[in-house]
Amino acid sequence: MKSTDEKFLFVWDSMALTPSKTDIEGDFDPQSSMAVKPRILAKGLSKLIQPIANSQSTLLVLNQLKTNLQVQNIKYATDSERYVTPGGKSLNYAYSLRIWLTGLRGKNSFVLDSRGFKIGSEVKARLEKSRFGTVGRECYFR
């Protein structure tokens, strides 16, 4: 990246569906390419973090959640423990800020327009990891 005064926002949508070279060229046997993506992402993010920080830019990673079958039966597991993000644990350590967004359910959580049509919903944001503030803070927004 060139050193300029411009700041950029890089959005990486669907890290879970980003294929690696072995995914494209390989076979359909999941055992032949086990844990390839987490290793690639760990190496790649460690190389990307410093240039992005030096340019005062932001890398926004959007990731889907998968059900963590190991903790589904644990009574006191938190929401973030019940799900796992594809890409392995290295991503959680690389992030400077991790925000857990949850759509609220119920009739009162919908946002209605002047004609009474549903145009959105209320969302709860919980700070899961932060190098900048207190973890565990929550806010609600529409």
Side-chain angles (χ1 to χ4, degrees), residues 17-26 33 36-38 40-41:
L17 292 177
T18 303
S20 64
K21 187 175 180 181
T22 56
D23 290 339
I24 295 170
E25 296 174 351
S33 62
V36 171
K37 189 180 291 186
I40 292 170
L41 291 172

Side-chain angles (χ1 to χ4, degrees), residues 6-77:
E6 295 180 280
K7 297 176 185 175
F8 295 97
L9 171 65
F10 299 99
V11 180
W12 187 346
D13 188 10
S14 189
M15 183 178 283
L17 292 177
T18 303
S20 64
K21 187 175 180 181
T22 56
D23 290 339
I24 295 170
E25 296 174 351
D27 55 5
F28 290 103
D29 181 19
Q31 299 298 325
S32 66
S33 62
M34 184 166 287
V36 171
K37 189 180 291 186
R39 286 182 290 183
I40 292 170
L41 291 172
K43 288 180 183 178
L45 284 175
S46 65
K47 291 181 180 182
L48 281 177
I49 288 173
Q50 197 62 42
I52 289 173
N54 289 342
S55 67
Q56 295 183 354
S57 296
T58 302
L59 173 64
L60 176 64
V61 178
L62 307 175
N63 210 354
Q64 291 87 11
L65 298 173
K66 292 184 178 180
T67 303
N68 189 354
L69 297 175
Q70 295 175 347
V71 297
Q72 281 302 303
N73 296 327
I74 297 175
K75 187 175 182 179
Y76 299 106

Side-chain angles (χ1 to χ4, degrees), residues 63-110:
N63 210 354
Q64 291 87 11
L65 298 173
K66 292 184 178 180
T67 303
N68 189 354
L69 297 175
Q70 295 175 347
V71 297
Q72 281 302 303
N73 296 327
I74 297 175
K75 187 175 182 179
Y76 299 106
T78 63
D79 285 341
S80 60
E81 292 170 342
R82 293 184 192 275
Y83 300 98
V84 63
T85 56
K89 298 273 186 193
S90 62
L91 300 177
N92 293 342
Y93 294 113
Y95 299 150
S96 299
L97 184 67
R98 198 168 69 235
I99 302 172
W100 181 274
L101 299 174
T102 307
L104 299 180
R105 295 185 177 141
K107 293 179 182 178
N108 295 337
S109 66
F110 292 115

